[in-house]
Amino acid sequence: MTILHADSNHPILLQQLEAAGFRNIEGYTLTPQEILRDQHLYDGIVIRSRFHIGKDFLEAAPNLKFIARVGAGLESIDVEYAEKRGVKLFSAPEGNRNAVGEHALGMLLSLFNKLNQADRQVREGLWYREANRGVELEGKTVGIIGYGNMGKSFAKKLQGFDVKVLCYDILEGVGDANAKQVSLEKFRRECDVVSLHTPWTPETNRMVDKEFIAAFAKPFWLLNTARGKSVVTEDLVAALNSGKILGAGLDVLEYEKGSFESLFAEGAEMPKALQELLVMPNVLLSPHVAGWTVESHRKLADTIAHKIISHFHNQ
């Protein structure tokens, strides 16, 4: 089989596929149109997030047997239509789940101890001890929305901190020894921290809005290492100003381009809500790198290679 690699990845991916008898074509700069021009040459395509593979692309590539995304989510692919056409889909949430779990925990501890604010102040020669008095994680209730690979990894990392961990998921029976699955009502009543670990779907799009936030019984801390478009920034800023949200750790932002490679289209004006968010001392930001570690770079590629080889060698 011949595989087109539309994005660069860890070299172990090419090496393992080649060793298993696959032919690799590296097309890191090819446009979708250029790929389709020679689509009859490829049995599969490996992507990250450079472009969307929709119905038009799939219809124009009748020989395509599989699409592999070296990442966790498949939102850049028209999943329903791909499956209808019999195109096998692979993703690799196992590859970066540990990285995401560690990043979420790091953000939470940094927020609780005001490390980002304290660091900036000390560098400016300011020694404000009382203003940087932290709070402890012990005794808090941490709630996880979306209890799949990423949510489970975060829950595992929380063991040993003497916290209560709850999870809410649309699937039944996903709770385990690290997190108790509860109703949405109980989740909203008890949580001190809310961490998002959901894919981007029509149901999770703009999920965290003013109504969502208002439904919680207590002020809470928010973490988002999932997808930026799940949080309405304007409503988040209002809740941070009112104190309903005590602080936020955001690895992703509503305004990210679909490729995740930049925050705005060139020349775009920065939204007012984001301007305000960027200067808030109780907000910690990172550029969509929660799953972006030295180790996950290799793990993601290794996971995809294993899935492709296992599937097609067993047929």
Side-chain angles (χ1 to χ4, degrees):
M1 294 178 67
T2 300
I3 301 173
L4 173 71
H5 296 260
D7 293 288
S8 62
N9 288 290
H10 193 284
I12 196 172
L13 177 58
L14 294 170
Q15 293 164 11
Q16 290 192 20
L17 290 172
E18 184 177 353
F22 294 86
R23 178 171 175 251
N24 297 306
I25 296 178
E26 298 172 65
Y28 308 143
T29 62
L30 295 178
T31 66
Q33 293 73 28
E34 289 171 328
I35 291 171
L36 286 175
R37 184 186 60 205
D38 296 323
Q39 56 79 25
H40 59 284
L41 301 175
Y42 317 128
D43 297 292
I45 181 170
V46 176
I47 64 171
R48 286 207 319 263
S49 300
R50 187 159 61 93
F51 52 79
H52 180 75
I53 295 183
K55 182 177 179 180
D56 291 345
F57 185 100
L58 291 162
E59 285 182 337
N63 299 325
L64 199 63
K65 297 179 178 65
F66 76 87
I67 305 166
R69 178 164 184 268
V70 186
L74 292 171
E75 67 266 29
S76 59
I77 302 167
D78 187 332
V79 172
E80 184 177 351
Y81 194 71
E83 291 176 341
K84 181 180 177 181
R85 293 187 65 90
V87 177
K88 179 68 178 174
L89 302 177
F90 301 104
S91 63
E94 307 91 337
N96 61 357
R97 61 188 173 191
N98 184 73
V100 171
E102 289 190 5
H103 195 96
L105 180 59
M107 280 192 142
L108 183 57
L109 293 172
S110 294
L111 284 169
F112 270 35
N113 292 283
K114 303 182 181 179
L115 294 184
N116 55 324
Q117 172 182 283
D119 175 77
R120 286 196 301 268
Q121 289 175 350
V122 173
R123 289 172 189 273
E124 293 169 4
L126 304 174
W127 197 258
Y128 297 152
R129 296 185 67 231
E130 185 58 35
N132 287 298
R133 188 186 290 272
V135 295
E136 296 179 19
L137 189 50
E138 182 182 30
K140 303 295 189 295
T141 297
V142 179
I144 297 171
I145 298 181
Y147 203 59
N149 280 282
M150 309 304 168
K152 289 179 188 294
S153 176
F154 182 44
K156 182 180 179 181
K157 302 290 181 289
L158 289 165
Q159 303 310 302
F161 281 92
D162 294 321
V163 294
K164 181 178 181 180
V165 185
L166 305 178
C167 67
Y168 175 75
D169 197 291
I170 58 173
L171 298 177
E172 295 294 333
V174 298
D176 57 20
N178 295 329
K180 180 181 179 182
Q181 187 170 9
V182 296
S183 67
L184 185 57
E185 290 71 27
K186 183 176 177 66
F187 189 93
R188 288 167 166 169
R189 188 169 61 248
E190 297 191 11
C191 287
D192 300 296
V193 176
V194 175
S195 188
L196 305 183
H197 297 276
T198 47
W200 185 58
T201 67
E203 289 73 29
T204 63
N205 186 50
R206 297 175 68 83
M207 174 177 68
V208 180
D209 58 12
K210 57 186 176 183
E211 288 79 15
F212 176 97
I213 296 166
F216 281 81
K218 299 184 283 185
F220 63 93
W221 304 79
L222 178 70
L223 300 177
N224 187 10
T225 54
R227 289 292 184 261
K229 287 180 172 56
S230 292
V231 176
V232 179
T233 308
E234 185 177 357
D235 294 349
L236 169 61
V237 167
L240 285 162
N241 281 324
S242 72
K244 180 67 179 190
I245 291 182
L246 300 168
L250 307 172
D251 180 53
V252 290
L253 289 169
E254 180 182 2
Y255 313 102
E256 280 181 84
K257 291 181 68 177
S259 66
F260 309 140
E261 294 300 322
S262 61
L263 187 53
F264 300 115
E266 190 173 344
E269 185 177 347
M270 185 180 293
K272 183 176 181 298
L274 181 58
Q275 292 179 36
E276 193 168 351
L277 187 77
L278 293 179
V279 297
M280 289 181 157
N282 56 340
V283 173
L284 185 61
L285 302 164
S286 56
H288 203 137
V289 292
W292 200 256
T293 62
V294 171
E295 292 81 2
S296 72
H297 186 42
R298 182 185 179 99
K299 288 179 190 175
L300 286 165
D302 186 62
T303 300
I304 285 295
H306 176 75
K307 288 185 176 182
I308 294 171
I309 293 166
S310 296
H311 180 79
F312 289 104
H313 277 199
N314 291 333
Q315 286 191 337

